[in-house]
Amino acid sequence: MKFTDGFWQVRPGVDALYGREAYEAWTEAETIKVTVPTKVIEGRGDTLNRPVLTVTLTSPLPGIIGVTVEHHQGRRKELSFDLPGAEAGHGKATVDDGVARLVSGDITAEVSLGAAWDLRFIDTSTGKILTSSKDKALGYMRLDPDAQVDRGPVGNGRERSTRFTSDTYVHEQLSLGVGELVYGLGERFGPVVRNGQTIDIWNADGGTSSEQSYKNVPFYLTNRGYGVFVNHPGHVSFEVGSEAVERVQLSVPGERVEYFVINGGAPAGVLERYTALTGRPPEVPEWSYGLWLSTSFTTDYDEDTVNQFIDGMDARNIPLSVFHFDCFWMREFNWCDFEWDPRVFPEPEAMLKRLHDRGLKVSLWINPYIAQRSPLFAEAMENGYLVKRPDGDVWQWDLWQPGMGLVDFTNPGAVEWYKYHLRRLVHQGVDCFKTDFGERIPVEVDYFDGSSPERMHNYYTHLFNTAVFEVLEETHGSGEAVVFARSATAGGQSMPVHWGGDSTSTFESMAETLRGGLSLAMSGFSYWSHDIGGFEGTAAPAVFKRWVAFGLLSSHSRLHGSESYRVPWLFDQADGTAEEHPESAVSVTRKFAELKRSLTPYLLQAGRTAAAVGTPILRPMQLAFPKDPAVAYLDRQYMLGPDLLVAPVMQEDGTVEFYLPQGRWTQLLTGETVEGGHWLTQRHGFDSLPLYVREGATLAVRAAESEQSMHIAPEITVEVHP
């Protein structure tokens, strides 16, 4: 959100009050408090009739400094993110020689007393300033209610209303150094470098080709080895080197903002500490790394259709791990009532057993809405389990399922009611759930626990996914639970897996999908998937085959679409390629599904690393090679785990340009060795892509299924690349 008009002026209707000096500072145990008036105090009269900001410095963990900026402190406590790793007693606070100082591990925060306002965050080991808050950085903004001031995004549940919009905002501006680049802020589909962008942290169902995002995370990190996390689950607006090009501005509505500066030395170190604070991802079950096949969304299907798909994959020797039933496993107009449509699936328990007997796991689509036609709607309404409007009526609309209501996950009774229905399905034989939606959350509502609708908009998905994940964990055990979630916010990484949302079936959408995954990885999320071939429309065979290679070289892999099936032989029929041809869709899918299956031990180890220190499986080049300036803007390639470089082919003619960092690299598919430190341009057939192993790697791989005995444990080979 922009408040200024150039360097000297403010926008019409904005009264900008800046913290001008550290008037006084004192310690309270491991905490520093600072009085920051909005004018330099030159006489006693200056202390009257003006706002004063209170700045509090704390440390929840070594290497992390928390900063709270408050105007009026008498407001009731509002919803914040759960910080499971936060602890009391960290940091050493002192005030002497005109400097208030809080030291915590390898980060120090210093406030110089007097004018002008100057808060510095210093790497304790090197003495270098990581970032700072300078004059006119700390702001309290009062807006004229009648002024035409843009107060943020509209849509997907956000209605402009006097009940939601705020006439006061608190903002902070943190300095950006020369050459400093910003990454993260959730899943975003534009350029991975955030500099120059305006980012609104506001979950929305906007597809992958828009500025909106399903997974907004108020956390960024930079190539200078630190990160910033804003502990505000509602609307946070970031101006990243945009309104003030030398700074990152963050602003929130109301009277208070809290943020944390996290020193890590490198991006991986920042993610380690950020996930220690907000929640580490658990390990996920081995079967989840295999290929998932879906019914697709609006297609017609029954058990015969499902069996045809599974038989077809089996006959073509394409390994399959999970079968997913999308929305229409339930009756139309009834979503989400947790009941199999008896017209199509009259014996669900028997069907699920048959699928399990074939060695498959089963996934079901669900969402947090209850359609009016479902008998559950009346039950939920009677018991107060649905979100209400301020007048006491149940909130309803017709966007998605007609007359649907929204489950109120702030009501413990509603949570247990929802879990009860999930447990019924698990006891039938369902192994996991695809938790769709959770972004279209209204603000003209009242929650059971009195939570602010503005703060609950993004946080709602966290409560939704928590309820589902807890049911799966209590049933299957730790490390065996998995959801397939679309929406998320900070902390959502503790409930994997997440997929990229509704893409189109084009090369351009393939590229934007990857950018979203890279951005999400820089936001603390370790597991990620996407719809192979794109969701909207039907991909041309060339797009589908290129996306297959990309999708099966992601941590999780799913064939899913909207109006058409995604079994590979249909794409061969579309372009007339014989299935046995090595570049047919069937052959390409088989090859890369087998390749991924062989890499499962390697991926499992990468998952253990993610659970231990928060390093994602899909690793942006900026994360994997932070000292190589050549990778700063790369967004068409990535590392899969620590040692595999993947560059998906996204051109019709098979041409791909990619960068190999310094060192010796071996093409995994051919054994060819090449020296890095430069760009390469190659042309690949559909059965190939740049897939390189870095020197020094040890890859644990599983023997091909055809080489194993069904009575002997799979053989694991360790490939050493000196």
Side-chain angles (χ1 to χ4, degrees), residues 17-85:
L17 299 162
Y18 297 105
R20 305 314 299 258
E21 70 168 322
Y23 181 78
E24 183 182 20
W26 66 98
T27 65
E28 295 180 1
E30 298 86 13
T31 297
I32 290 176
K33 290 186 175 290
V34 188
T35 299
V36 186
T38 53
K39 181 186 186 303
V40 176
I41 305 301
E42 298 173 337
R44 290 189 173 184
D46 292 335
T47 65
L48 305 175
N49 305 316
R50 71 181 63 260
V52 170
L53 303 177
T54 301
V55 175
T56 304
L57 304 181
T58 60
S59 176
L61 286 173
I64 303 177
I65 297 290
V67 181
T68 303
V69 182
E70 298 170 291
H71 176 227
H72 287 160
Q73 297 176 313
R75 301 292 181 92
R76 66 183 176 89
K77 185 177 181 180
E78 293 196 283
L79 178 70
S80 297
F81 286 110
D82 181 29
L83 303 178

Side-chain angles (χ1 to χ4, degrees), residues 314-585:
D314 188 52
R316 292 166 175 84
N317 294 316
I318 301 174
L320 192 62
S321 183
V322 183
F323 193 86
H324 169 72
F325 292 84
D326 218 57
C327 313
F328 285 95
W329 69 272
M330 292 176 284
R331 185 167 183 152
E332 71 279 6
F333 296 121
N334 280 26
W335 307 338
C336 185
D337 67 354
F338 314 103
E339 297 290 344
W340 292 86
D341 184 347
R343 302 167 302 176
V344 186
F345 301 105
E347 298 178 331
E349 291 88 349
M351 179 187 67
L352 294 174
K353 184 179 185 305
R354 288 189 285 271
L355 292 174
H356 286 153
D357 289 344
R358 302 190 68 165
L360 295 171
K361 300 292 184 179
V362 175
S363 166
L364 289 188
W365 177 97
I366 58 172
N367 68 24
Y369 310 119
I370 308 294
Q372 181 173 271
R373 196 180 77 167
S374 166
L376 290 187
F377 181 89
E379 179 184 333
M381 180 174 64
E382 181 179 348
N383 287 285
Y385 295 161
L386 300 176
V387 174
K388 295 180 180 179
R389 295 186 180 275
D391 62 6
D393 290 340
V394 170
W395 175 88
Q396 292 179 265
W397 68 2
D398 296 326
L399 295 178
W400 191 234
Q401 290 292 280
M404 70 182 192
L406 179 67
V407 176
D408 189 344
F409 287 105
T410 73
N411 182 341
V415 173
E416 285 307 309
W417 174 80
Y418 197 87
K419 285 182 171 182
Y420 164 78
H421 290 289
L422 296 181
R423 291 186 186 105
R424 287 196 299 106
L425 293 167
V426 171
H427 292 153
Q428 285 181 343
V430 175
D431 299 289
C432 58
F433 296 100
K434 169 184 169 181
T435 52
D436 206 354
F437 286 82
E439 311 92 357
R440 299 182 182 183
I441 306 303
V443 296
E444 278 294 314
V445 294
D446 282 338
Y447 283 94
F448 176 84
D449 72 348
S451 290
S452 157
E454 176 261 333
R455 290 181 180 237
M456 186 56 68
H457 174 85
N458 293 337
Y459 198 69
Y460 182 91
T461 180
H462 194 77
L463 300 181
F464 169 40
N465 282 313
T466 296
V468 180
F469 196 80
E470 286 178 349
V471 168
L472 295 171
E473 240 188 359
E474 75 182 28
T475 305
H476 302 306
S478 178
E480 293 297 321
V482 60
V483 296
F484 216 82
R486 186 173 77 173
S487 57
T489 188
Q493 68 271 4
S494 61
M495 296 168 289
V497 170
H498 295 81
W499 99 93
D502 295 346
S503 52
T504 57
S505 300
T506 63
F507 282 117
E508 292 79 7
S509 195
M510 184 177 166
E512 73 202 16
T513 294
L514 174 55
R515 292 195 295 268
L518 297 173
S519 180
L520 192 65
M522 284 296 213
S523 305
F525 286 70
S526 293
Y527 307 93
W528 176 72
S529 186
H530 42 96
D531 293 340
I532 294 175
F535 177 75
E536 295 288 351
T538 301
V543 173
F544 177 79
K545 287 184 278 189
R546 297 300 187 189
W547 210 318
V548 161
F550 167 39
L552 282 161
L553 288 168
S554 302
S555 84
H556 287 75
S557 310
R558 183 178 70 163
L559 293 165
H560 177 69
S562 179
E563 300 175 355
S564 59
Y565 304 127
R566 290 295 190 262
V567 288
W569 51 91
L570 295 181
F571 294 89
D572 289 330
Q573 296 170 16
D575 69 354
T577 305
E579 289 185 12
E580 63 272 12
H581 191 281
E583 294 193 359
S584 69

Side-chain angles (χ1 to χ4, degrees), residues 270-285:
V270 177
L271 290 181
E272 180 174 1
R273 287 178 173 169
Y274 168 73
T275 55
L277 180 65
T278 61
R280 286 271 162 76
E283 294 183 40
V284 295

Side-chain angles (χ1 to χ4, degrees), residues 213-381:
S213 170
Y214 304 99
K215 309 171 190 67
N216 285 269
V217 181
F219 164 73
Y220 69 85
L221 53 78
T222 88
N223 60 348
R224 297 299 163 87
Y226 72 92
V228 176
F229 168 54
V230 181
N231 187 16
H232 185 100
H235 176 220
V236 185
S237 180
F238 287 90
E239 297 290 341
V240 187
S242 45
E243 181 177 8
V245 297
E246 301 170 357
R247 299 173 174 180
V248 175
Q249 175 178 292
L250 57 97
S251 61
V252 302
E255 300 285 308
R256 178 182 187 273
V257 67
E258 179 181 39
Y259 67 90
F260 298 90
V261 178
I262 306 168
N263 190 19
V270 177
L271 290 181
E272 180 174 1
R273 287 178 173 169
Y274 168 73
T275 55
L277 180 65
T278 61
R280 286 271 162 76
E283 294 183 40
V284 295
E286 180 175 349
W287 54 261
S288 72
Y289 290 98
L291 180 59
W292 299 45
L293 175 62
S294 167
T295 59
S296 289
F297 171 33
T298 60
T299 55
D300 291 326
Y301 58 87
D302 54 17
E303 187 177 359
D304 287 341
T305 312
V306 171
N307 287 331
Q308 288 175 23
F309 290 164
I310 297 171
D311 290 342
M313 299 290 277
D314 188 52
R316 292 166 175 84
N317 294 316
I318 301 174
L320 192 62
S321 183
V322 183
F323 193 86
H324 169 72
F325 292 84
D326 218 57
C327 313
F328 285 95
W329 69 272
M330 292 176 284
R331 185 167 183 152
E332 71 279 6
F333 296 121
N334 280 26
W335 307 338
C336 185
D337 67 354
F338 314 103
E339 297 290 344
W340 292 86
D341 184 347
R343 302 167 302 176
V344 186
F345 301 105
E347 298 178 331
E349 291 88 349
M351 179 187 67
L352 294 174
K353 184 179 185 305
R354 288 189 285 271
L355 292 174
H356 286 153
D357 289 344
R358 302 190 68 165
L360 295 171
K361 300 292 184 179
V362 175
S363 166
L364 289 188
W365 177 97
I366 58 172
N367 68 24
Y369 310 119
I370 308 294
Q372 181 173 271
R373 196 180 77 167
S374 166
L376 290 187
F377 181 89
E379 179 184 333
M381 180 174 64

